[in-house]
Amino acid sequence: MFKRIRKIIEANNKAHKINHNQLKELEWAHIYHDSIRGKKWLEELPLNVGRWAGNYAFFYVLNRILNEYKPKSIIEFGLGESSKFISTCIDNHISESKHVIVEQSKEWSDAFCGNFKLSVNSEIEICNMVTKRVKGFESNGYENIEKLIDKKFDFYIVDGPFGSKNYSRFDIVQFAENLNANDEFIIIIDDFQRVGEQQTFKHLEGLFDSKGIVIHTKMYSGNKDFMVLATNSYKYVTSF
């Protein structure tokens, strides 16, 4: 009897959480659409929000970052809807920005570019997905990502490759190891509701602390979560 009651309570709590997240997502959708009002290039952009792509909270924060901070150099792990968004903003608003997209699949890249023309300032680097060993766990990573590590960026978007159970998308750590206390940057880690992404974030926190890099953080939530890390020059991204 008690087990049955406990299962009912657990199922009820789970349903309440799903409903709560959905209500937050609907609120973010309204906030996002308000934020792009008057920007014809975004209002008319065919964008598929949610599912594998970022949610409305993600695209709202992305829009605010591109609009207010105008990052000159952007690297994005994973080709998709946010690539369209960034590329469109470059062509219409931040023309001096350079945008590197790291993608694991040449087939997907060809299909994507057959339907959408990226900005000339956006370039795709194909790095096949491989299995790497991170702290004793298997984790998906990019092959030959080392060729990009020497370059520093203002804005890092971590949404690829496919997620891993532990230390997911850990390649961002190699880029972070190249940063120092004089660098100013923003990092977004998508799919933060998952344990693997949370583990990678915790490692980044410890790494930045050991380097004396002051980081401001905030988790944004809707149907799914993402984490933002920002240095002092970009700290207000945590108040969007």
Side-chain angles (χ1 to χ4, degrees), residues 13-47:
N13 288 340
K14 184 178 180 180
H16 276 302
K17 188 175 188 304
I18 292 171
N19 288 337
H20 177 68
N21 288 344
Q22 184 60 41
L23 286 171
K24 287 198 294 184
E25 187 68 15
L26 290 171
E27 180 184 21
W28 279 118
H30 287 294
I31 293 170
Y32 165 76
H33 286 298
D34 283 343
S35 76
I36 66 168
R37 189 176 295 162
K39 299 175 182 176
K40 204 167 184 181
W41 61 90
L42 293 179
E43 291 176 338
E44 297 179 352
L45 177 67
L47 201 62

Side-chain angles (χ1 to χ4, degrees), residues 51-93:
R51 308 299 189 271
W52 278 25
N55 61 358
Y56 276 110
F58 175 93
F59 280 102
Y60 165 71
V61 172
L62 178 60
N63 179 45
R64 291 286 303 271
I65 290 171
L66 297 176
N67 184 64
E68 297 178 26
Y69 291 127
K70 300 176 178 61
K72 291 290 193 299
S73 56
I74 304 164
I75 186 166
E76 179 183 17
F77 301 100
L79 173 68
E81 299 303 299
S82 52
S83 310
K84 290 160 58 174
F85 193 97
I86 294 166
S87 186
T88 299
C89 287
I90 289 174
D91 277 345
N92 291 276
H93 185 60

Side-chain angles (χ1 to χ4, degrees), residues 206-218:
L207 176 63
F208 290 139
D209 184 61
S210 70
K211 286 173 164 285
I213 301 175
V214 177
I215 294 292
H216 306 267
T217 64
K218 182 174 179 178

Side-chain angles (χ1 to χ4, degrees), residues 190-206:
D190 200 16
D191 300 302
F192 196 72
Q193 71 280 358
R194 303 191 305 210
V195 171
E197 277 74 8
Q198 293 169 18
Q199 291 173 328
T200 297
F201 164 72
K202 284 294 183 186
H203 185 93
L204 282 173
E205 272 195 317

Side-chain angles (χ1 to χ4, degrees), residues 8 11-12 15 22 32 36 48 58 67 101 107-108 110 114 134 139 160-161 188 190-191 202 212 215 234 239:
I8 292 171
N12 192 46
Q22 184 60 41
Y32 165 76
I36 66 168
N48 299 301
F58 175 93
N67 184 64
I101 307 160
E107 182 180 4
W108 166 240
D110 290 344
V134 180
S139 177
I188 286 181
D190 200 16
D191 300 302
K202 284 294 183 186
I215 294 292
Y234 301 116
S239 65

